[in-house]
Amino acid sequence: MSAPPTRSRARSAGSFPGAGGLRETGRLFALGLDVIRSIPRRPFQFREFIQQCWFIASVTIMPTALVAIPFGAVIALQLGSLTRQIGAQSFTGGASVLAIIQQASPIVTALLIAGAGGSAICADLGSRKIRDEIDAMEVLGVSVVQRLVVPRVLAAILVAVLLNGMVSVVGVLGGYFFNVIMQGGTPGAYMASFNALAQLPDVWISELKALIFGFLAGVVAAYRGLNPPPGPKGVGDAVNQAVVITFLLLFAVNFILTTIYLQVVPPKGM
């Protein structure tokens, strides 16, 4: 006996290669739109927002500072060696500062926000899900997105922007130390090349990247936390999936933003 036509069509649509990934991508995009729509709604969960800011900052500040110093040092050493080979030692400072501010700082910040803060958000929401707390809130008519997701996403954004500024300062100081002290560069040439190459939009694009990366980390962590596989093991799997998905997204978005920025903002003339 053959299956009814409607059931057959539904089965063929469900078994379409890549259909599951498309559905997950669509649901993730829908959650991001729900978060944006829910931000101006009242009442705003200010106390939850402050608690999440404090928690995310407490688990990311020290690792971020410890990673920023060697990251800036590696960039300064690599660029110092490269510029010495082509006879452009005077541009080492400007090139390393631009690399740290435009690329390294937002990526380091996003990796730690996703790895430390995002995993904690995903684990918290996943635990609430398997304890049926999320379902109970929905039965009572409480918006889970407005009550739980929005404060966590905004906290990830705020901490990412602030950490990005801290990583930029620490990375530039680390690059200055290794270029001037370890490689024999002069402070005057370092600062002169920085003034010649850097411009204010470089700082704005760095902070914009941190804002977008923080939003992505918060939304992905919340989505995987609200939709974990069954059981406690599923929560652990959801945390791992959230971190991997965030890393893939931020590298793709970083490529797009960098391409647009280089086309829109011309390099500073010498």
Side-chain angles (χ1 to χ4, degrees):
M1 183 176 181
S2 60
T6 53
R7 184 179 301 177
S8 177
R9 284 197 296 271
R11 184 178 301 170
S12 62
S15 62
F16 182 80
L22 290 177
R23 278 196 296 270
E24 293 291 325
T25 304
R27 291 168 183 165
L28 177 63
F29 186 74
L31 178 61
L33 291 180
D34 287 342
V35 171
I36 294 174
R37 284 198 298 262
S38 300
I39 289 176
R41 292 178 183 171
R42 296 295 179 268
F44 179 71
Q45 303 298 324
F46 188 74
R47 183 175 181 179
E48 184 80 14
F49 169 69
I50 295 297
Q51 290 177 345
Q52 293 300 320
C53 286
W54 174 254
F55 172 73
I56 296 176
S58 64
V59 298
T60 54
I61 285 180
M62 186 57 68
T64 303
L66 294 178
V67 170
I69 296 175
F71 218 85
V74 168
I75 292 176
L77 291 174
Q78 184 66 42
L79 288 177
S81 175
L82 178 63
T83 53
R84 193 162 47 247
Q85 290 179 352
I86 62 176
Q89 297 92 328
S90 59
F91 296 106
T92 302
S96 62
V97 168
L98 288 178
I100 292 170
I101 292 179
Q102 283 193 19
Q103 302 297 330
S105 179
I107 290 180
V108 168
T109 301
L111 291 178
L112 290 170
I113 288 289
S119 59
I121 292 174
C122 184
D124 177 37
L125 294 178
S127 301
R128 292 171 183 258
K129 181 68 177 179
I130 64 174
R131 292 198 303 263
D132 295 331
E133 293 182 18
I134 302 296
D135 296 334
M137 292 177 67
E138 292 175 345
V139 170
L140 293 173
V142 178
S143 173
V144 176
V145 173
Q146 184 179 5
R147 177 66 179 81
L148 298 177
V149 178
V150 168
R152 284 161 173 78
V153 173
L154 291 180
I157 293 174
L158 178 62
V159 175
V161 171
L162 296 178
L163 279 182
N164 182 62
M166 186 191 75
V167 172
S168 298
V169 173
V170 174
V172 169
L173 292 178
Y176 176 86
F177 174 81
F178 278 90
N179 178 254
V180 175
I181 305 299
M182 304 297 291
Q183 294 183 316
T186 60
Y190 192 95
M191 297 305 298
S193 64
F194 171 69
N195 292 329
L197 296 178
Q199 51 187 339
L200 190 58
D202 297 329
V203 179
W204 298 134
I205 188 62
S206 177
E207 293 292 356
L208 177 62
K209 285 183 179 180
L211 186 150
I212 295 175
F213 293 166
F215 176 79
L216 289 176
V219 171
V220 172
Y223 175 75
R224 293 310 306 155
L226 293 175
N227 301 279
K233 182 179 179 302
V235 178
D237 295 338
V239 171
N240 294 332
Q241 293 169 4
V243 175
V244 173
I245 293 172
T246 304
F247 285 1
L248 294 176
L249 282 177
L250 75 88
F251 283 116
V253 173
N254 181 56
F255 172 76
I256 296 173
L257 291 177
T258 302
T259 303
I260 296 174
Y261 175 75
L262 294 178
Q263 295 296 323
V264 173
V265 181
K268 191 175 181 180
M270 297 293 297

